[in-house]
Amino acid sequence: MKPREIVPDVLYVGAPDFDRRLFDSLIPLPDGTSYNAYLVRGREKIALVDSVEPMKRDVLEAYLADVPKVDLVISNHTEQDHSGSIPWLLKRYPGATVLSSETAKPMLVDHLGLDAGRIRTVADGERLDLGGKTLRFIYTPWVHWPETMSTYLEEDKILFSCDWFGSHIAQTDLFVDGVDRIEAEAKRYYAEIMMPFRPIVRKNLDKIKDLEIRLIAPSHGPIYRDPRSVIQAYRDWTDDKPHNVVVMPWVTMHGSTALMVDHLITALVERGINVLPFNMATADIGQLAMALVDAATIVVACPTVHVGPHPAVFNAVILANALRPKARFAAIIGAYGWAGQMAETVKAAMPSLRVELLGQVVAKGLPKRADIEALDALADAIAAKHRGLGLL
Ligand code: FEO
C-alpha cells in the first residue's frame, strides 16, 4: 500500500476505523473514527507525525513497507490512539528518535514503556529543518492532555494538530472543504475531549491566531482545506456565552416524571426557550454531550429508584459534571414513591458545574396542582435568567 500524497513529500499513512462504535468505552461513534499519521520527507531527514491505534497497526505497517528509513517520530500526544504504535516503530526503525514536549517524555515512558534514551524533548516554538521541510513545535496543552503539542510545517503551512480540531468520522476521502459537512462529528469530538478544558482551548486558539494555515491535518477525521471554518466553530464552542437552550436529561418509570417533563417543556417553549430533551433510556450520550456545548441551563428530570436518583439520569449528571460545560443554571425535577433523597444526591454529584441552582420540583407520585404551579414558576425563573444574559 502506497502512502497517499497530501502535498509533495507530505504523505498520509493513517487508518480509518469504520467499525469502531465506542470511544473510551463511553461515547458512541455512529460514523467510526480514524487515527491519522503523516510522513514528512525532507532532503536529509524523514519524520513521522504521530502513529496509529495499535489495533490498526497493520495499516501503518503496510504504508511503511517501502519506507526504509524514518529518522524522527513526532509524538504530539501520548494517548495510545496516537502513540500506541511507537514501540513497534522504534523496533522497525532502530535509528529513529522520538520527539515530544517536555511533559510528554515521562508520560511516554509510563504509558508505553519507551526507553527514555530514545526520546528527545523539544521546546515550545523550537524549529527543526528536515531539509526543505521545517517543523515548528507549538505547545498546545490540554487538547487533549497536559503534554499535547501541535506541529506546524512552515513551507506547506500545514498544522498537524493531533486531537485538536479532530472529528470522529471514518472516510476514504482524506479532505473536507469546510467544517459544515462534518460539524456534528467535530462537535461530538470537542464535547467529549476538549470541553472540560474550554478556557485553555481558547488560549491555544489565540496562540495560533497569527499563524498562516493552509491545511489543518488532525489525527482524527479529515484534513481541513478551509481551516478558518473549524477554527471559527471552536471559537463559538469555547465562547463563554451560552445559547438560549435548556438541556433536559430524563427518564420515567411510571409516568409521573414524564408528565412533569412534558409540562416544563411546553412552559419553556411558550417562554421562547429552545429545549433539548434526552430520554436517557435510549439516548446517544454523544448527542447529549454535543447539546451541552451550547446550553445555558440543565434541567435534570429524574425519578427515584429506592431512595436515590434513577441511574440512567444520574449517569448523565456525572457525565455533565465531568465535561464541565459552560451552562450557567440548573434545576432538578422528578418524582418519588414514598421517600428519598434524589435531589440531594443529584446536587452533590455536580461540584464541577459552575451553575446557579434555580430550584427543584419533586412530586410524590403524580404531579399535583402545586407541582405544576412550581414548574411554571421554574420556567419563569429560567426565562428571567436567559433574558438577563441577553439570550431572549
Ligand atoms: Fe485521540 Fe486524546 O487521543
Side-chain angles (χ1 to χ4, degrees):
M1 192 154 63
K2 286 190 173 58
R4 300 177 65 185
E5 184 174 280
I6 295 165
V7 298
D9 291 316
V10 179
L11 309 159
Y12 181 85
V13 291
D17 191 343
F18 292 95
D19 298 322
R20 189 155 181 183
R21 283 293 168 266
L22 207 55
F23 208 76
D24 292 343
S25 298
L26 178 65
I27 296 288
L29 299 181
D31 305 302
T33 190
S34 69
Y35 321 105
N36 301 336
Y38 304 94
L39 207 56
V40 181
R41 288 192 303 223
R43 284 190 305 274
E44 284 92 42
K45 289 190 185 305
I46 296 177
L48 179 67
V49 181
D50 289 316
S51 74
V52 301
E53 167 73 47
M55 73 178 86
K56 287 289 177 184
R57 199 189 79 197
D58 59 324
V59 179
L60 179 65
E61 211 170 326
Y63 272 131
L64 295 179
D66 296 324
V67 178
K69 186 180 82 135
V70 167
D71 302 286
L72 302 162
V73 178
I74 316 294
S75 180
N76 280 326
H77 176 27
T78 308
E79 198 165 15
Q80 289 87 336
D81 50 330
H82 310 294
S83 70
S85 294
I86 291 179
W88 172 81
L89 283 163
L90 294 186
K91 283 191 188 123
R92 165 92 170 84
Y93 300 105
T97 299
V98 176
L99 300 187
S100 76
S101 72
E102 288 160 24
T103 313
K105 181 172 179 176
M107 294 175 76
L108 287 164
V109 173
D110 284 340
H111 285 272
L112 301 172
L114 295 192
D115 173 0
R118 294 194 66 180
I119 306 170
R120 177 166 86 72
T121 60
V122 292
D124 187 18
E126 185 172 329
R127 299 166 73 239
L128 177 67
D129 186 2
L130 305 176
K133 296 280 186 194
T134 309
L135 302 177
R136 192 192 312 171
F137 306 103
I138 304 169
Y139 281 20
T140 46
W142 296 106
V143 290
H144 129 243
W145 280 2
E147 90 302 4
T148 311
M149 65 179 190
S150 301
T151 299
Y152 179 65
L153 177 54
E154 293 185 350
E155 288 79 2
D156 298 297
K157 300 178 176 42
I158 300 174
L159 183 70
F160 299 104
S161 58
C162 202
D163 275 348
W164 202 18
F165 307 118
S167 59
H168 279 314
I169 183 167
Q171 58 177 46
T172 57
D173 188 350
L174 294 183
F175 296 95
V176 66
D177 286 325
V179 75
D180 288 359
R181 190 175 67 70
I182 61 159
E183 183 164 353
E185 293 84 353
K187 193 172 189 179
R188 178 181 289 263
Y189 195 77
Y190 166 84
E192 186 209 349
I193 299 293
M194 308 285 163
M195 186 157 63
F197 315 112
R198 190 171 57 85
I200 309 178
V201 177
R202 211 166 44 209
K203 276 188 195 158
N204 285 329
L205 290 173
D206 288 341
K207 197 166 180 178
I208 63 160
K209 74 178 176 4
D210 296 325
L211 209 58
E212 193 180 344
I213 302 172
R214 187 176 145 217
L215 298 172
I216 288 181
S219 289
H220 296 287
I223 298 164
Y224 295 93
R225 278 202 193 95
D226 173 16
R228 287 170 306 177
S229 64
V230 70
I231 290 172
Q232 185 55 48
Y234 263 69
R235 287 215 172 276
D236 294 343
W237 297 336
T238 56
D239 191 79
D240 282 336
K241 190 169 182 179
H243 295 191
N244 180 29
V245 170
V246 168
V247 166
M248 195 181 299
W250 69 281
V251 292
T252 197
M253 293 166 69
H254 301 291
S256 297
T257 301
L259 288 171
M260 299 175 77
V261 165
D262 287 348
H263 186 85
L264 184 58
I265 290 173
T266 301
L268 289 167
V269 170
E270 284 173 352
R271 288 159 179 77
I273 296 169
N274 186 22
V275 186
L276 300 176
F278 291 88
N279 183 340
M280 297 310 299
T282 53
D284 169 344
I285 61 167
Q287 294 276 0
L288 171 65
M290 289 158 67
L292 287 170
V293 169
D294 304 312
T297 300
I298 301 167
V299 174
V300 177
C302 188
T304 303
V305 175
H306 303 304
V307 296
H310 190 290
V313 176
F314 197 51
N315 188 39
V317 173
I318 291 168
L319 180 72
N321 184 65
L323 298 182
R324 291 186 285 176
K326 67 179 81 163
R328 304 279 188 90
F329 314 107
I332 301 166
I333 67 171
Y336 66 95
W338 66 94
Q341 289 86 44
M342 178 276 288
E344 287 66 32
T345 307
V346 167
K347 270 185 267 180
M350 40 193 209
S352 297
L353 292 177
R354 305 264 169 88
V355 289
E356 179 187 350
L357 201 58
L358 300 181
Q360 60 187 59
V361 183
V362 183
K364 183 175 185 182
L366 287 169
K368 319 295 186 300
R369 177 185 291 273
D371 302 309
I372 296 299
E373 287 172 356
L375 290 172
D376 288 335
L378 177 60
D380 285 336
I382 293 171
K385 292 293 183 184
H386 283 213
R387 202 170 295 113
L389 286 182
L391 307 179
L392 261 176

